[in-house]
Amino acid sequence: MTEPWAMGLLAKAYGKVDRFAEGDTLVAEALTIVARTRNRWCEAELHRLKGELISSRSERDPAEIEACFRRALDVARMQDAKMWELRSAVSLARLWRAQGLRAQVCELLMPLLGYFSEGHGTHDLQDAQADLESCGGKLST
């Protein structure tokens, strides 16, 4: 079932054009479908998108944003979905970096980046590596 995934993509597009209410509604509906059908393959990404939508608003609650990213991380870890985990970790790391929590950024990203032996040309891994380097961390090769 790809409907929740498509709804998430549309919600992301709404966020890019500052239509946050529509994006929020779509993510909420997608998460409801995921819970009802128990088809959870994109659940982590939906929680991450929810956090990204909240963080894009002019009025935002950092604790609510962090809760979304942490939920996304928890779901991804429970599913052993490393790419969803990476995306969620990067979103959380950026929030923490903006709050000056550099040590936590390194602590979060270093072990996760060490997991990947391939795909370092992908956008997700490049983002994670850049965020790790921005906090003074470096992955040993």
Side-chain angles (χ1 to χ4, degrees):
M1 172 179 250
T2 59
E3 185 179 14
W5 172 248
M7 293 169 83
L9 291 176
L10 185 55
K12 183 177 178 178
Y14 276 137
K16 289 185 182 219
V17 294
D18 298 334
R19 292 175 59 182
F20 303 115
E22 291 97 327
D24 290 341
T25 299
L26 278 170
V27 169
E29 288 176 21
L31 285 168
T32 298
I33 291 169
V34 164
R36 185 182 70 240
T37 64
R38 295 192 176 127
N39 189 350
R40 301 183 180 280
W41 70 272
C42 66
E43 181 182 6
E45 180 67 354
L46 291 170
H47 286 290
R48 189 191 74 79
L49 287 172
K50 180 178 178 181
E52 292 291 349
L53 283 168
I54 295 168
S55 71
S56 296
R57 296 184 199 136
S58 59
E59 292 188 25
R60 53 189 165 259
D61 178 4
E64 184 181 10
I65 297 164
E66 184 169 342
C68 291
F69 294 153
R70 284 185 178 275
R71 176 71 179 140
L73 267 173
D74 290 344
V75 170
R77 287 174 176 159
M78 185 175 56
Q79 295 175 341
D80 198 28
K82 291 298 184 190
M83 284 307 291
W84 293 140
E85 183 180 352
L86 180 68
R87 282 186 177 183
S88 301
V90 166
S91 291
L92 181 57
R94 287 180 178 165
L95 176 68
W96 285 350
R97 190 179 66 211
Q99 296 170 344
L101 304 173
R102 293 172 47 136
Q104 288 90 328
V105 170
C106 286
E107 189 176 304
L108 176 65
L109 293 178
M110 186 101 49
L112 190 53
L113 274 165
Y115 173 84
F116 292 92
S117 60
E118 296 179 1
H120 290 278
T122 65
H123 195 106
D124 289 324
L125 283 168
Q126 289 174 349
D127 284 350
Q129 183 65 42
D131 287 333
L132 179 63
E133 289 171 4
S134 76
C135 74
K138 185 154 177 82
L139 195 61
S140 58
T141 54

